[in-house]
Amino acid sequence: MVAPSEHSIDTKNRILDAAERLFADKGFDATSLRMITTAAEVNLAAVNYHFQSKETLLQAVYARRSAPVNAKRLELLTQFESSGEPLEVEQILDALIRPLFEIGESRECVPRLMVRLLYLDAHEASRNVFQQQFHQVLIRFQGALRKSLPHLSEKEITARMQFSIGSLAHTMAASRNLQAMPAGGQMKEALPWVLRQLIHYIAAGLRAPALEESACTF
Amino acid sequence: MVAPSEHSIDTKNRILDAAERLFADKGFDATSLRMITTAAEVNLAAVNYHFQSKETLLQAVYARRSAPVNAKRLELLTQFESSGEPLEVEQILDALIRPLFEIGESRECVPRLMVRLLYLDAHEASRNVFQQQFHQVLIRFQGALRKSLPHLSEKEITARMQFSIGSLAHTMAASRNLQAMPAGGQMKEALPWVLRQLIHYIAAGLRAPALEESACTF
DNA sequence: AATTGAATCAAACGTATGTTTGAATCATAC
DNA sequence: GTATGATTCAAACATACGTTTGATTCAATT
């Protein structure tokens, strides 16, 4: 029995880094293992040796980012809620979005990647796993939104959350020039212009009066 | 010289129908020509005979729907504008969305397909062509929105339109059970619940006050 | 009925992909 | 220093794909 060498974890990380960038830029199907191993400067067979298949590599690429991001989201939300009062919608959205830009320093492709894997690229089996994890986070955020938007029925809150995720995902996937947070700096006011606009837009949509009469609580 | 037979245009339409549904359901890369020709009950070589390549077939699939949909959008908007006054935002959105459901009777996959080809699936070359066509329509709609939202700067209108397209696209692509319009019926109130919710949500986001102070016109 | 070009068909081609193999290399434990 | 198992490597494998071929069938013109 021999412990894994340090070289091997270097190789694994180089593969993960290269795959992360290529998956985010070109998509899963359009990225071949040969492109990944060339960019990572490792042998072709290394992918199937360290990860078992291309699909499993995708899951590893996702797993490396999703757990920290989602943990940070819940942590931020809980911290904001500590005052006890219902939060401003903008604050809830901030807790949802900001962690995407704090993870993996100077890797601006991470937000694009997460969107691709959650909604666009991944094949059905993997995507379901990814979405299931994210769904747990959304349920938690829905609880916060419910307190801030008491005029809405549960059905309407769910729908509007999906609409919001849509505009968020579209913005992440489309605009290639979303800057990451300044490294190590404090967080306040560091989100780029387009994301502040987005949060303002989404908050207004969420706050809109209920459309269904039956949804009014009085 | 011999005129094209009727059989051949039957074959072409069967290919287009099968490709449309498969592209919408599974995506472009995940759909092979063999899947298409099997579903269409035509010979494999028929695709390369009638269309030149898989990529060209995709363009034909898109072209068959995009021109009528976009024409109907512009026609509806112009008709709504005939009164001369600025439109309600909801009416502008209705003119943008409704035509997607009136085209190709009983083919509920068309809205999903259009979203996929505009933003998700198509390879860069084709997608740019598709988006360029749609962009012309968006410019026209932006003009209508500008009149209805005089408190916003041009930059903010553009950004909010992109956010709106995002939630629209996400809703189209995700919810597989958006019902088409009742065939031949009059249009009023025929949009499904989720789309009425979506229009209400988007309208509120568009109407939100300007975020930039410099954007105020007074 | 003969002719002509369009349309269909089964079969094959060339290529790119994910994956596997088996030998060579490296680092570690004894 | 040698043995051992983890890691690398060049090469090959199997497969699925888009595309092409060449013969055959079909329908329309004469």
Side-chain angles (χ1 to χ4, degrees), chain B residues 22-50:
Chain B
L22 285 165
F23 286 162
D25 286 347
K26 304 188 179 299
F28 180 74
D29 287 323
T31 300
S32 70
L33 291 187
R34 284 162 178 84
M35 296 167 65
I36 294 173
T37 54
T38 299
E41 295 180 299
V42 302
N43 187 272
L44 169 62
V47 169
N48 290 285
Y49 177 79
H50 287 286

Side-chain angles (χ1 to χ4, degrees), chain B residues 1-2 4-5 8 11 43 45 49-50:
Chain B
M1 184 59 172
V2 170
S5 71
S8 78
T11 299
N43 187 272
Y49 177 79
H50 287 286

Side-chain angles (χ1 to χ4, degrees), chain A residues 156-167:
Chain A
E156 278 181 304
I157 289 190
T158 304
R160 292 188 191 189
M161 282 187 70
Q162 288 308 315
F163 302 154
S164 306
I165 296 298
S167 50

Side-chain angles (χ1 to χ4, degrees), chain A residues 5-110:
Chain A
S5 71
E6 287 184 11
H7 283 179
S8 78
I9 79 164
D10 246 48
T11 300
K12 283 176 92 163
N13 282 333
R14 284 228 299 286
I15 291 174
L16 287 175
D17 288 344
E20 176 173 273
R21 173 143 280 139
L22 285 165
F23 286 162
D25 285 347
K26 304 187 178 302
F28 180 74
D29 287 322
T31 300
S32 71
L33 292 186
R34 284 163 179 85
M35 297 168 65
I36 295 173
T37 54
T38 299
E41 295 180 298
V42 302
N43 187 273
L44 169 61
V47 169
N48 291 285
Y49 176 78
H50 288 286
F51 313 89
Q52 290 84 284
S53 67
K54 189 189 180 188
E55 190 83 20
T56 316
L57 169 63
L58 178 76
Q59 295 173 17
V61 166
Y62 177 78
R64 184 170 67 145
R65 303 300 184 191
S66 79
V69 166
N70 286 332
K72 186 72 180 172
R73 281 167 166 158
L74 298 176
E75 176 193 325
L76 267 183
L77 184 60
T78 301
Q79 170 189 327
F80 289 163
E81 277 176 330
S82 62
S83 75
E85 297 154 31
L87 299 175
E88 291 297 318
V89 175
E90 285 83 354
Q91 225 172 352
I92 299 176
L93 294 174
D94 194 74
L96 186 70
I97 296 174
R98 186 179 295 275
L100 271 178
F101 293 87
E102 295 183 320
I103 231 66
E105 328 95 30
S106 84
R107 291 193 68 85
E108 88 296 338
C109 63
V110 170

